[in-house]
């Protein structure tokens, strides 16, 4: 069996946005760390997908610190206002129940929308430039931890040894299963239909979330007169809608979109992503941790999944680099448990919040509609409470990892 690399400090399985951000954060903080990323695809070929991501203000601060922001800034559309309506599909006028306007800090919007086809390659290029080693055309088949390190066997039969193995291999994480870590949660029988539209009138940075009976329908502003759509439907209906010809799909889209931005036109492909809530029962084991969707998948209703993965990357990089600076073994379970404690509460809180919001808003029962109308109206009339929500959406929390405050590790 051939060794594909000398022993390394941190091996990361998965060159998604979370795995690559972690690799970049580690190399930026301590260039002497050897960091390798294992993925079937070469890092240089990372292209992103048809979605756009709402990047919270705290995540933007990290991307600035990591030198990624300058590569995405031209395509980053600030969200200057968030409007929420609760209505039925046939309602001619959709009353606004809640709106958030303005910046979270002066000159700092609480989020930006960035197409994944801009964001993901920018992170990948920065990781390569920082000296992250890549082991491409490979997946992790099996691993075995001992006192001195973890032996990792790849599908090709090659092996490598590391002090720490991080699973960033997505929602169906093979590594999580290999480590014997189960999950709690469930599939929603909902899918998120994603597409991009061009519209006649400017959105002026306004993001709109229509809570329709089948689930949230989000219109998220992109640069120019364009918006990214995330449209929740029952999975069987989503499959039918995505399979329609362009003309019929556009009609269905326009019924939900509303008339505010004038005529709309499809401006990209469309796909449906199955939605679930799924949290790993543990985030850490000896010489092994989970991060990103491998640790937690949530409903995209609040656009927070990747932001949570960024927080994992920032917290784990800080824990590893600090442990190494004081001479600790970076794969020791007590070091890794610090990461787990740091990230677990925030993860559970966000998963519960998005789960409750989805159940509350994907429901057409009259008492539930009344309760949410009263609830939203109340929040809208209390500026203090609105500010708290806005700061949470921006990811501002005194317990944030240093990178998310824009500071170096
Ligand atoms: C419709 C929709 C809209 C969303 N919108 C937002 C948003 O606006 N804002 C936001 O913050 N989040 C959003 N999210 C969530 C976000 O997209 C995910 O949380 C994020 O992409 C997860 O990234 P990841 O790197 O953890 O996993 P992935 O992107 O799934 O990457 C996993 C990587 O692991 C590799 N891999 C798999 N198996 C192996 C193996 N055995 N060995 C090695 N490598 C392996 C894969 O090739 C892949 O490169 C949305 C999600 C959906 C479904």
């Amino acid at each position: 069996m051939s060794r594909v690399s000398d022993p390394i400090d941190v091996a990361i399985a998965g060159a998604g946005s979370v795995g690559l951000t972690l690799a970049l954060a580690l190399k930026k903080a301590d260039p002497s760390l050897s960091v390798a990323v294992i993925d079937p695809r070469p890092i240089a070929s990372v292209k992103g997908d048809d979605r756009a991501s709402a990047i919270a203000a705290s995540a933007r601060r990290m991307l600035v610190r990591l030198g990624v922001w300058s590569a995405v800034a031209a395509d980053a559309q600030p969200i200057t206002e968030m409007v929420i309506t609760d209505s039925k599909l046939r309602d001619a006028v959709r009353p606004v129940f809640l709106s958030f306007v303005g910046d979270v800090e002066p000159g700092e919007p609480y989020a930006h929308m960035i197409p994944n086809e801009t964001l993901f390659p920018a992170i990948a290029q920065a990781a390569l430039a920082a000296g992250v080693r890549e082991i491409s055309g490979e997946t992790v088949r099996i691993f075995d931890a001992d006192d001195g390190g973890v032996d990792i066997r790849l599908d090709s039969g090659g092996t490598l040894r590391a002090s720490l193995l991080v699973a960033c291999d997505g929602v169906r994480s093979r590594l999580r299963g290999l480590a014997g870590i189960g999950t709690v949660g469930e599939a929603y029988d909902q899918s998120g239909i994603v597409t991009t539209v061009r519209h006649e009138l400017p959105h002026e940075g306004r993001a709109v979330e229509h809570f329709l009976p089948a689930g949230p329908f989000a219109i998220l502003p992109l640069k120019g007169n364009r918006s990214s759509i995330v449209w929740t439907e029952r999975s069987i209906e989503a499959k039918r809608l995505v399979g329609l010809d362009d003309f019929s799909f556009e009609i269905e889209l326009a019924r939900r979109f509303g008339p505010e931005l004038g005529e709309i036109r499809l401006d990209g492909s469309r796909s449906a992503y199955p939605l679930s809530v799924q949290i790993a029962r543990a985030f850490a084991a000896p010489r092994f941790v989970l991060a990103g969707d491998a640790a937690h998948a949530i409903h995209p209703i609040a656009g927070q999944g990747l932001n949570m993965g960024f927080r994992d990357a920032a917290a784990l990089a800080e824990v590893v680099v600090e442990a190494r600076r004081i001479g600790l073994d970076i794969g020791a379970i007590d070091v890794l448990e610090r990461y787990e404690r740091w990230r677990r509460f925030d993860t559970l809180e966000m998963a519960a919040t998005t789960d409750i919001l989805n159940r509350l808003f994907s429901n057409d029962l009259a008492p539930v509609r009344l309760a949410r109308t009263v609830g939203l109206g109340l929040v809208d009339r209390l500026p203090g409470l609105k500010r708290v929500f806005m700061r949470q959406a921006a990811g501002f929390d005194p317990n944030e990892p240093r990178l998310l405050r824009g500071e170096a590790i």
Side-chain angles (χ1 to χ4, degrees), residues 189-191 193 233-243:
D189 187 26
Q190 286 177 324
S191 292
I193 302 174
E233 287 283 349
R234 296 268 154 243
S235 290
I236 192 160
E237 177 64 356
K239 195 171 169 204
R240 183 190 73 80
L241 288 162
V242 167

Side-chain angles (χ1 to χ4, degrees), residues 79-404:
I79 299 182
T80 53
E81 186 180 358
M82 175 89 205
V83 169
I84 294 174
T85 80
D86 185 10
S87 44
K88 297 194 175 191
L89 199 49
R90 61 176 179 276
D91 292 349
V93 176
R94 294 178 179 169
V96 171
F97 281 105
L98 185 57
S99 65
F100 299 94
V101 190
D103 294 346
V104 67
E105 292 286 335
E108 189 171 17
Y110 70 91
H112 283 77
M113 286 303 299
I114 309 181
N116 286 356
E117 62 184 20
T118 301
L119 180 62
F120 292 4
I123 297 171
Q125 291 308 324
L128 284 177
V132 169
R133 235 189 275 178
E134 69 171 320
I135 300 173
S136 61
E138 290 282 11
T139 49
V140 172
R141 177 190 284 273
I142 199 158
F143 59 90
D144 185 26
D146 56 45
D147 284 349
V150 51
D151 286 312
I152 302 163
R153 187 178 313 161
L154 305 172
D155 273 334
S156 64
T159 61
L160 71 150
R161 188 166 170 82
S163 300
L164 169 64
L165 172 62
V166 187
C168 294
D169 54 339
V171 63
R172 281 183 288 275
S173 172
R174 182 200 280 182
L175 278 80
R176 187 182 60 219
L178 289 172
I181 298 176
T183 59
V184 284
E186 60 175 313
Y188 279 127
D189 187 26
Q190 286 177 324
S191 292
I193 302 174
V194 175
T195 193
T196 306
V197 294
R198 189 170 283 283
H199 32 79
E200 204 182 354
L201 302 173
H203 48 56
E204 285 160 353
R206 191 180 309 113
V208 181
E209 190 129 352
H210 292 302
F211 285 120
L212 298 174
F217 180 94
I219 305 172
L220 304 158
L222 299 174
K223 283 282 180 185
N225 283 5
R226 294 165 67 244
S227 293
S228 171
I229 305 294
V230 183
W231 165 9
T232 305
E233 287 283 349
R234 296 268 154 243
S235 290
I236 192 160
E237 177 64 356
K239 195 171 169 204
R240 183 190 73 80
L241 288 162
V242 167
L244 291 174
D245 59 77
D246 281 1
F247 179 73
S248 312
F249 183 75
E250 224 170 64
I251 291 176
E252 291 288 349
L253 187 65
R255 285 176 70 204
R256 289 154 178 90
F257 195 91
E260 288 78 12
L261 297 177
E263 292 283 310
I264 62 164
R265 271 273 178 80
L266 278 176
D267 190 41
S269 57
R270 53 184 181 261
S271 29
Y273 293 79
L275 305 178
S276 59
V277 56
Q278 178 183 280
I279 310 291
R281 287 186 185 274
F283 289 2
R287 305 207 172 276
F288 178 75
V289 284
L290 298 165
D293 277 15
H296 44 70
I298 59 168
H299 196 287
I301 192 166
Q304 290 291 338
L306 178 56
N307 287 293
M308 283 165 66
F310 280 156
R311 250 172 263 153
D312 296 345
L316 184 56
E318 193 168 321
V319 165
V320 166
V321 169
E322 282 183 352
R324 186 169 149 110
R325 278 185 192 143
I326 55 172
L328 297 178
D329 175 356
I330 61 170
I333 189 67
D334 47 348
V335 168
L336 303 178
E337 278 172 353
R338 186 182 160 217
Y339 161 73
E340 180 172 59
R341 280 194 302 275
W342 200 350
R343 293 299 305 132
R344 204 149 170 86
F345 179 71
D346 172 56
T347 301
L348 292 174
E349 195 181 40
M350 185 62 80
T353 306
T354 52
D355 186 57
I356 289 167
L357 281 175
N358 181 47
R359 286 176 201 281
L360 195 61
F361 286 103
S362 306
N363 191 322
D364 207 24
L365 291 175
V368 180
R369 285 182 68 90
L370 179 67
R372 69 191 184 219
T373 302
V374 171
L376 285 182
L378 212 62
V379 175
D380 206 37
R381 276 172 205 87
L382 295 171
L385 195 54
K386 270 170 95 164
R387 184 142 186 83
V388 170
F389 281 141
M390 248 175 112
R391 289 190 72 79
Q392 270 189 349
F396 288 168
D397 178 315
N399 192 30
E400 283 300 9
R402 283 210 287 271
L403 279 174
L404 289 158

